[in-house]
Amino acid sequence: MNTVDCCSNALLAKKQIKDAQTAVCNPSDDSDNHQFITSSAFTNVALAEVETGVMHLAVSSTAGLLKSTVAKHPGLPRSVTIQPSADPFIDGPSRPVSDQQRQLLACYLQLPEEITSKEEFNQRIKFSRWLSEAWVLQHTRAEVLKSVLTADQVSDYRLYLQDLPPAAITAALALDCLKQKLRHLDWTYQNLPARLKTPSFNQFCLQIGALPVNIASDYLQSVQYSTLVATCPDTLKYVPPEHQNYSMCLEAIKNNPRLIEFVNPCATFYPELCSMAVQKLNFLCDSISESVADQLIDQLGITSLYYIPQSLRTYQRCVKAIRQTDLVKQFDYIPRQIFLEHPELANEVFHKQWSSSLLKQLPDSAKTEDFCQRYLDKWPGSISGCPPSLMRAHAEWVERAIRAGATDCSIPESFLTVDLYRRILRISPFNCSVPEKKFQDHPDLLFLAACSGSYSLKKIPAPLKTMDVCCLALEATDPYLKTIEHVPESLRHQLPYDLLLAVAPQYLPQDIRQAMVARGDTSLPLSCRQRGKPILHRHILLEPLEPQPYGELKFSSSIFLKKTLLSSAPFTLRNLAMGHALQQTIEQHCCQQKQRLDQAQLPVLTQPLSGNCTVYGGRALMTNTRTETSRMKFLRSGEPLEDFFREEAVHRFVWNHGLGGSLKSEVPWPVGLKLVPVELMPEDIFAGFRSRLETVALGSRCFYLMYQFTTRNQDYSTLAHQKDLYGNSTRAEQGLINASYDLGVWSSLGAVHTSTIQAYHSFKDNRRELFLCFMFDHGRAFPGALTAWDSEATDESDWGYSGLRDIGDMEFYPGITSYFDAADATAFMPPGFDQRAAFMNAFCENMVAAVLHYARMHRDDSDYHYKDAKGRAKLGAFIDQAIGAFLSGLVGRSVKTAEYFESPEIFQQWLEKTTAETTLWTARQNLNSDCFARSLNENRCYPPEVYPDQKITPYRYQYPEDYTSNGQDNLGNNHGQFGLTLLIRGLYQVAAVLAVELGGGK
């Protein structure tokens, strides 16, 4: 397609937009009012918008780069002729949308359709966790469900009985589910359709113990009880007491200790079976007698009062049980009446036993100051029941209780100030219920509750559920918590379309959803998107959140970014036409070099490799001359040839097209591919490689395949996480900034670098380093701890003194694939959205990589400390520069990072908090100095200067045990989240604004 065609199509597209908008809608300035657009008009508008934007940028922005097609160095071959592409989704490389993807998209959008085949059902139910199990079941023909559903599928996909159409529930499926005891999914006899409960069906239910006892008597006349119980132990409940015997009951209880409840308590063997159920099977028997209770304590040594029914927990038995054990929480099982009658019991055993609820049990006379002091030292969060007079005298008790997760209900109302509510909402929002009057008088409390993600919208009074509050709550919570159900019905259809698309797409107008499926993308036209810059609420952006092990962070920012990426148009990249040409060049180059290799046309090294070669990286050599450094990179074992050939193709493309003037990093001069005979590789050099090399057999000889290129000096192989020989970091930092800028330039071609540090290479292993992990795995709201961040994770990287290295290691938007191979990438991702998420994940992870290099280089500096303003200011300036450099390279103009935030003031606040958190986690941990490790070990919490309102967990996590792997520091608790939470949320803010910009928004 030539330039004239592009201009003609641009004019046609503009006319289509104008005609469609005039005929269909006249958008209001009120962003909360939505215009309803027919599906055909929606498609026309959306296509026209994308085509116009892409054509304009493809013609104007790429023209300068395409002027020079003559190589500056005549020794290099000319590249292919390049024509600007009008639409990357028509002319350029793309990921075509398959029928299967469209069907899954229709399922995600919950469009009414009928699933008519086993294949369609299996395809949808596979992703039902990310879509809607109930919707899939309700839209599948009953005969299909009858033929395909099994009890295993019901269990694996957690299919509730009530979600299945009654006509689809067969007797065979019902019996299998009853046999597997899927009671947690409501598969019980009582819930089954009445039509199934025939005499023959009931007979089968009897044999598997699923028939209710009150019905079973009608089917027991001709039954052999011993045979029945031997076949299914659960049928012991049907056996009358006079027919029970020891062996029958013994075998049944071994299989299911709960059956002790159906054993005749008057039987002589009952105490023995009861003791076995309690002692060996840890089952609580509610029906044991007093003699059995004494036997359990006296003879069998059962010391946990939990196993003694409450009615039998006398003072004597409680004291006896407590005195012969060191078990904690025994007090929890002592009836309150015993403490009222014997208050001395608490002091008698206080030195041995502790309880999290003792103060609620004790009479006031026993709650002395000394007793409460000792008790709350052990259980700081269990302040409920503490006398108010002591709370007033010891404000520190209330302080510790709040930090330990105490609920507002455990503190007298007179103590609950606005500030206290504010702190509880930050620390444990799940445990808080703010009175309506407090919300009305202090709106910031209301927004804080809505943003927390754990304060259910259900608890907010109906009159206060405004549009803003509902939007914040929906953005901050996982869609699978079904927060949408607590949004007033009158507001659901008025919610912004992009938010509905992310959390409840079924509420979007049906014609818009149909148009999305027809187009194969979730993007909304500009007229239906939210206007203005997307802004992450400052409570979410700026809230310092200590990473908690085994739990998700409060104040999640995932939906905020997801809604933007879902609704955005396909990204319009200013040099995408150049990117298409680069892809063509790479494909041609790889094909040619593969042919040359197969035909033995590559030059062969005839002299042994020089002894003055230096090994660097995992599989490369370099030799120095006066004017340049010659480098040889070898094919790694198992590496695809296409990947190895790509680097030379990219180097030649840069030199052929004058791209060097647009890049700030040094681009090597390509010499070419060569074959190195195995015998010419010196043993000492070969032993220095960390990577195993691939051998190539040609005829009777074996060779190593090598790509040779030259650089100006050794800066290319000097990684930018280290200072120079004089202790100066200027060259390294400039290399990081240059690399950031060039990553932006390459991204403007659609060329995305997805593995710039070692941590980003292992996609098929555990990839918790997906920084947009919520997009790829809806079960995780934040990336996990980064293992060995200052060693193995960054030892081998593409960030050098010379800038970005290994520039051939790239993928192309919209065809990025590596992230979807990750172990954590299990979610269904609608077409189009998946590529936008992948593009932004690369941006986020590369900015994190830049910060990690800086932190590794400076972590031992005297001013690199969370309390040192000077050191933090230097880190802040670097973060600002690195992100700004990437953005400038991407959009083709000088950009300030602050432009992508709500305001310069908010950006500065974020930067100050981010540098404090980053230096806290990445500074060298020395238990003899002020650092997070010492604070954690001594105080069971992180420094309050960085995390002022943090929860004290009952777990005693320690450094280095819980924060290192094989002696190497991890960024985050080994079972928790990535430590740099503020950095990630700031990058989400930038990514959201960038997505709007690249998607044609303003």
Side-chain angles (χ1 to χ4, degrees), residues 622-897:
M622 67 177 177
T623 56
N624 294 316
T625 67
R626 288 189 197 174
T627 57
E628 63 185 14
T629 299
S630 178
R631 300 175 183 274
M632 291 163 279
K633 185 175 183 178
F634 291 85
L635 177 68
R636 183 188 289 120
S637 178
E639 182 179 13
L641 286 174
E642 291 79 5
D643 292 351
F644 184 73
F645 293 151
R646 191 187 302 121
E647 186 166 10
E648 180 187 10
V650 176
H651 288 168
R652 293 185 180 278
F653 186 88
V654 170
W655 287 109
N656 281 350
H657 294 87
L659 265 176
S662 301
L663 300 171
K664 295 190 176 183
S665 305
E666 179 186 4
V667 178
W669 173 258
V671 176
L673 292 171
K674 293 183 180 179
L675 293 170
V676 179
V678 170
E679 62 271 14
L680 296 185
M681 174 76 75
E683 187 62 35
D684 59 330
I685 292 179
F686 185 79
F689 289 133
R690 290 195 299 272
S691 299
R692 222 174 124 205
L693 303 187
E694 188 74 75
T695 56
V696 177
L698 293 175
S700 59
R701 301 183 67 189
C702 287
F703 301 88
Y704 298 118
L705 184 59
M706 177 262 287
Y707 168 50
Q708 186 174 12
F709 55 92
T710 62
T711 60
R712 289 192 295 265
N713 50 39
Q714 294 189 37
D715 282 0
Y716 186 83
S717 52
T718 305
L719 298 185
H721 56 56
Q722 56 195 312
K723 299 177 183 179
D724 63 21
L725 296 176
Y726 305 101
N728 193 307
S729 62
T730 302
R731 291 164 66 198
E733 289 175 20
Q734 189 58 52
L736 294 173
I737 299 301
N738 290 345
S740 298
Y741 179 86
D742 287 357
L743 285 167
V745 173
W746 285 113
S747 296
S748 75
L749 278 73
V752 177
H753 293 77
T754 55
S755 56
T756 60
I757 62 174
Q758 187 63 31
Y760 302 156
H761 273 281
S762 304
F763 290 105
K764 293 186 178 179
D765 298 328
N766 183 24
R767 266 302 306 260
R768 297 182 75 188
E769 290 78 30
L770 285 167
F771 287 101
L772 268 60
C773 58
F774 185 79
M775 316 298 169
F776 298 87
D777 176 1
H778 298 178
R780 182 172 296 282
F782 213 74
L786 180 59
T787 304
W789 74 270
D790 68 330
S791 50
E792 293 177 4
T794 49
D795 274 345
E796 295 181 20
S797 85
D798 298 340
W799 304 73
Y801 276 23
S802 63
L804 186 64
R805 311 172 336 116
D806 294 342
I807 56 176
D809 197 1
M810 60 176 60
E811 299 179 70
F812 288 90
Y813 172 88
I816 303 168
T817 61
S818 59
Y819 295 134
F820 306 99
D821 294 332
D824 287 347
T826 58
F828 166 70
M829 300 182 70
F833 162 74
D834 58 348
Q835 287 300 299
R836 295 189 286 275
F839 186 95
M840 289 305 172
N841 191 78
F843 158 67
C844 289
E845 73 172 19
N846 283 324
M847 293 301 95
V848 170
V851 173
L852 294 182
H853 279 72
Y854 180 97
R856 179 172 177 175
M857 178 165 45
H858 290 285
R859 69 179 312 204
D860 291 310
D861 292 357
S862 60
D863 64 352
Y864 194 81
H865 191 271
Y866 72 95
K867 289 182 179 178
D868 193 303
K870 181 181 176 183
R872 286 170 49 194
K874 289 192 290 186
L875 172 60
F878 173 79
I879 293 174
D880 185 8
Q881 276 187 284
I883 298 175
F886 178 93
L887 297 171
S888 298
L890 175 62
V891 303
R893 61 180 174 83
S894 179
V895 169
K896 298 294 184 184
T897 311

Side-chain angles (χ1 to χ4, degrees), residues 166-302:
I169 303 172
T170 65
L173 176 63
L175 286 171
D176 283 346
C177 291
L178 293 175
K179 197 170 185 179
Q180 290 197 22
K181 303 176 183 177
L182 303 179
R183 300 184 188 94
H184 59 292
L185 299 173
D186 298 333
W187 285 84
T188 63
Y189 179 89
Q190 292 86 339
N191 293 337
L192 292 174
R195 62 177 173 79
L196 295 180
K197 299 174 182 178
T198 62
S200 60
F201 181 84
N202 288 349
Q203 191 69 47
F204 279 114
C205 289
L206 176 76
Q207 294 170 8
I208 62 175
L211 195 65
V213 174
N214 61 325
I215 301 176
S217 57
D218 297 336
Y219 298 90
L220 292 174
Q221 292 83 355
S222 58
V223 170
Q224 291 289 330
Y225 291 116
S226 57
T227 305
L228 184 67
V229 175
T231 304
C232 177
D234 284 357
T235 58
L236 179 67
K237 61 187 175 185
Y238 304 137
V239 181
E242 63 271 19
H243 291 280
Q244 293 179 359
N245 58 57
Y246 175 75
S247 58
M248 174 195 294
C249 296
L250 175 66
E251 294 305 316
I253 290 171
K254 281 182 179 178
N255 182 274
N256 181 1
R258 293 181 180 275
L259 294 173
I260 189 68
E261 298 175 7
F262 299 99
V263 176
N264 180 12
C266 298
T268 56
F269 51 80
Y270 175 77
E272 180 183 348
L273 294 180
C274 190
S275 300
M276 183 190 72
V278 173
Q279 189 177 32
K280 295 182 179 180
L281 304 176
N282 296 323
F283 179 72
L284 172 62
C285 302
D286 291 328
S287 58
I288 65 176
S289 63
E290 292 201 26
S291 60
V292 172
D294 289 332
Q295 182 184 11
L296 291 175
I297 295 174
D298 296 339
Q299 298 176 21
L300 299 175
I302 299 299

